[in-house]
Amino acid sequence: MKYSLFTILLLPAYAVGQTSLGYNLQRYAAPEGSMPAGLYQSNLDIEHTVSYAVRSNTALLDRILNDSAWAAVQGEATARNVVSGSFDNDNTIGQYIHYDGRRKTFGQLLAAGERSIAGRGTLYGMACYRNGNRRDVSLNYAVHPEDYAPYLVSDTLGASTFRQETYIVQAGYSRGVGPMEVGMDIYYEGVAQARTHDPRHSNYSHLMRLGLSAGQAWAHQAVSLRIAPEWNRQAISSTSMQDGVRYFDFYGFGLWNHRETQTAITYGRVQTLRGLMADAAWLYDGAWQWSANVGYHLRRMNTEEGSSYKNLFASTTHILRQQLHVSHRVDDWQVYMQLTAIQGWRRGEECVYEQQVQDAEQGLYDYVKVATNRLYTYKWMNGDVRVKVLHHISPKASIGLLAAVGYDHSKEGYKVPSMHIDIRTLRSTLAAEYKQHRGAAQLELLAYAGMQQGWDCRYSIVGVTNPIQTTMAFIPYQLRGENHQLMGGSIAWGYDLMQNCTLGLRLRADRLHSDYRKVNALSADLFVLF
């Protein structure tokens, strides 16, 4: 689901604008979750939204990057190859989302670039390695748990530290074929997650996405359509050396089933997710630049017990995304406006099995699915309006101001017993930036502040409150509907060592404060552009 605090904190910090430093770091940024980075994000560098739209629809990439008629869409930032190393740490004091962890510390190495060959197309690629810890994670074994919620699995032994290694490879190819533009892209993410103390836990997750796109570009307009099937498989296992350890099957609102194990018994679960993404884009380059994007995402999730090979839980998720972007330049002033909307709904299914005789003479029995109960629903929508003004105070310096407002509404429901969680919030953000390129040095400064206000939030759950229900239902309800203040900033500096080779450093800091928690996030990036 959409409420990753890590993403909320760091997306603004990634937002740096028109010089090549921020753009080249952001355009290949590895996503924090399973969703692609870039398009449909609540970013501050909305002057590059059209560039992100082009890169999300690979078919148009070669034509627009290399056709002088689309020079305005290419933007003032020069695309460069990048090698970077980064360190991220954020720490929460107070309440936190149980599957996200209280403290996250990660290091990352990334290399990315692109190459255009006249008459043969454009090829791009990215490889990323990330390693780190999530501390005080509880009641969840899954990677990207928001894709599988509420049907998670875990043990009863409380919060612990999970170590994660992530490998990401992304590549794409675009070229013209007759009057058409065609493209293909592939994305792979492999995650190895482990816990070193008893019960020993491991999860090996594989996510793959293959995109095929086609489009057509004219002098001032371009259209594109992209289809991308995806597949994710998580193989979860846990072995305990203790008697009586309980493993929980969660199914929403702090509700669970449990089973006990004996010494050295291994518990296993396989979770699979199959999906299909479809995105359509329209670009117009004139006195006013327009970009419209519409996307649909279908996901089907199943969970299978490792010992019985039965799908106990399943869910179907539908997501619609829309984004409209318009910009206009008058002399040294550039105005941008961006509207983004996302709607989603998820329906959960709980499968019922009955033990039936398969061979009475040999005493063979098996569990056969006899019913499916559709008891869980989750609906959400959010909208966002952003306006940004850039003023070029000199040929190599600019200042920018951004204002944004947003609305979020989510509603979870369970039929029997009847339970509901309803959350509404309003968001607002103000940001200011300054950029300059003087001699061999480049400098980018960003500062921002934001706030969230919740209202008419409702928590209606029957039954006796217990620690699991508090952790899985009530605390997330409080944090997602909280009133909080957010502030932060970043500084990026680069120096041209030689022609087409820049060494740079970026530092970021963010702080969130509410009645329930205080979150501090720090990050540093050392990079080379060439």
Side-chain angles (χ1 to χ4, degrees):
M1 303 174 194
K2 60 187 181 305
Y3 296 103
S4 169
L5 176 61
F6 191 74
T7 303
I8 292 173
L9 284 171
L10 294 187
L11 266 176
Y14 277 121
V16 283
Q18 273 183 285
T19 61
S20 62
L21 299 182
Y23 175 69
N24 282 283
L25 291 176
Q26 174 64 13
R27 67 194 176 101
Y28 286 121
E32 293 298 331
S34 67
M35 299 301 298
L39 194 60
Y40 305 117
Q41 301 289 345
S42 298
N43 54 315
L44 296 185
D45 60 336
I46 64 175
E47 63 270 29
H48 295 313
T49 292
V50 177
S51 297
Y52 297 144
V54 170
R55 294 182 179 279
S56 298
N57 293 270
T58 311
L60 299 177
L61 185 62
D62 180 62
R63 174 70 179 271
I64 291 182
L65 287 183
N66 297 288
D67 190 339
S68 59
W70 289 90
V73 175
Q74 296 168 12
E76 299 180 21
T78 303
R80 309 271 293 278
N81 302 324
V82 57
V83 175
S84 69
S86 63
F87 172 80
D88 299 279
N89 179 79
D90 68 279
N91 186 49
T92 301
I93 301 174
Q95 296 179 357
Y96 63 97
I97 304 296
H98 65 97
Y99 55 71
D100 205 29
R102 182 184 300 275
R103 182 173 183 177
K104 298 181 286 292
T105 305
F106 283 88
Q108 176 180 285
L109 296 175
L110 182 146
E114 64 186 36
R115 182 174 178 83
S116 296
I117 303 175
R120 297 187 179 182
T122 296
L123 179 70
Y124 70 87
M126 180 269 283
C128 173
Y129 171 74
R130 182 185 298 146
N131 191 320
N133 296 322
R134 292 178 178 267
R135 298 183 181 179
D136 292 339
V137 176
S138 64
L139 305 181
N140 171 61
Y141 281 163
V143 174
H144 305 317
E146 294 177 340
D147 297 338
Y148 291 86
Y151 304 117
L152 307 176
V153 64
S154 186
D155 58 61
T156 61
L157 299 186
S160 57
T161 298
F162 283 72
R163 187 167 189 85
Q164 289 184 340
E165 286 190 13
T166 303
Y167 305 84
I168 298 175
V169 178
Q170 182 179 5
Y173 177 70
S174 170
R175 67 166 298 171
V177 178
M180 301 292 293
E181 310 294 327
V182 296
M184 180 179 71
D185 60 273
I186 187 170
Y187 176 88
Y188 171 79
E189 178 199 70
V191 180
Q193 176 178 277
R195 182 175 61 187
T196 56
H197 63 76
D198 193 66
R200 302 299 178 95
H201 157 74
S202 67
N203 182 1
Y204 296 95
S205 172
H206 306 274
L207 171 65
M208 180 172 289
R209 187 179 294 120
L210 176 65
L212 300 173
S213 54
Q216 192 165 4
W218 299 273
H220 299 288
Q221 294 191 69
V223 294
S224 176
L225 176 65
R226 176 178 178 269
I227 303 295
E230 65 176 354
W231 173 79
N232 177 225
R233 182 181 188 272
Q234 301 193 26
I236 297 173
S237 66
S238 181
T239 300
S240 175
M241 302 305 295
Q242 304 177 27
D243 288 324
V245 174
R246 294 182 178 182
Y247 292 95
F248 282 70
D249 289 322
F250 300 108
Y251 51 97
F253 299 93
L255 303 178
W256 72 89
N257 297 318
H258 72 268
R259 54 178 57 84
E260 293 189 8
T261 69
Q262 297 176 353
T263 302
I265 295 297
T266 298
Y267 172 82
R269 164 171 285 187
V270 175
Q271 299 186 148
T272 59
L273 187 151
R274 294 175 176 86
L276 181 67
M277 303 177 67
D279 288 280
W282 170 72
L283 307 177
Y284 176 78
D285 181 24
W288 292 76
Q289 286 186 1
W290 294 81
S291 170
N293 298 272
V294 179
Y296 170 71
H297 195 177
L298 171 66
R299 280 180 160 178
R300 176 68 178 176
M301 183 276 293
N302 288 284
T303 69
E304 183 178 278
E305 293 300 317
S307 58
S308 60
Y309 305 102
K310 305 300 182 185
N311 290 326
L312 299 182
F313 304 101
S315 68
T316 302
T317 303
H318 305 267
I319 305 174
L320 290 174
R321 301 180 178 91
Q322 311 91 44
Q323 189 170 75
L324 177 66
H325 180 273
V326 59
S327 65
H328 183 63
R329 181 163 185 166
V330 179
D331 297 328
D332 295 330
W333 296 84
Q334 190 99 17
V335 180
Y336 303 88
M337 184 168 66
Q338 176 176 295
L339 291 83
T340 305
I342 300 176
Q343 307 86 33
W345 59 98
R346 176 173 296 172
R347 182 184 65 192
E349 301 173 2
E350 301 172 18
C351 303
V352 180
Y353 287 84
E354 179 180 84
Q355 190 181 51
Q356 297 182 359
V357 177
Q358 303 299 308
D359 191 325
E361 293 183 358
Q362 300 184 32
L364 297 179
Y365 297 85
D366 194 10
Y367 287 92
V368 178
K369 187 171 74 171
V370 296
T372 300
N373 297 323
R374 297 174 177 174
L375 301 178
Y376 176 82
T377 59
Y378 178 66
K379 300 178 181 179
W380 72 92
M381 65 86 64
N382 61 341
D384 190 274
V385 179
R386 292 173 177 256
V387 177
K388 187 171 187 177
V389 177
L390 286 177
H391 177 50
H392 300 273
I393 56 179
S394 74
K396 292 188 176 182
S398 67
I399 57 174
L401 295 174
L402 177 139
V405 294
Y407 168 78
D408 299 288
H409 182 203
S410 66
K411 187 173 183 179
E412 286 185 274
Y414 201 80
K415 292 183 179 180
V416 181
S418 179
M419 296 182 289
H420 299 280
I421 297 177
D422 200 340
I423 301 173
R424 292 179 175 87
T425 59
L426 283 175
R427 296 173 284 109
S428 61
T429 304
L430 293 174
E433 62 181 29
Y434 171 75
K435 308 177 183 68
Q436 74 167 15
H437 191 167
R438 178 177 298 177
Q442 301 179 52
L443 178 67
E444 299 179 349
L445 302 174
L446 169 71
Y448 77 93
M451 63 180 297
Q452 175 180 283
Q453 180 74 36
W455 93 97
D456 196 23
C457 298
R458 300 178 183 179
Y459 181 85
S460 176
I461 291 185
V462 299
V464 178
T465 300
N466 58 70
I468 291 180
Q469 185 186 101
T470 299
T471 300
M472 297 194 75
F474 187 67
I475 291 178
Y477 160 78
Q478 286 184 315
L479 299 185
R480 291 165 182 168
E482 69 183 355
N483 300 333
H484 71 227
Q485 299 79 43
L486 188 64
M487 62 182 299
S490 68
I491 176 171
W493 174 85
Y495 187 82
D496 298 332
L497 300 177
M498 61 184 71
Q499 186 177 5
N500 296 325
C501 184
T502 302
L503 175 67
L505 176 68
R506 181 173 62 177
L507 303 174
R508 306 185 296 255
D510 301 270
R511 179 177 175 83
L512 181 147
H513 181 273
S514 75
D515 292 336
Y516 307 113
R517 58 178 170 171
K518 297 178 182 178
V519 184
N520 297 299
L522 299 173
S523 182
D525 300 87
L526 181 64
F527 58 89
V528 177
L529 304 176
F530 58 97

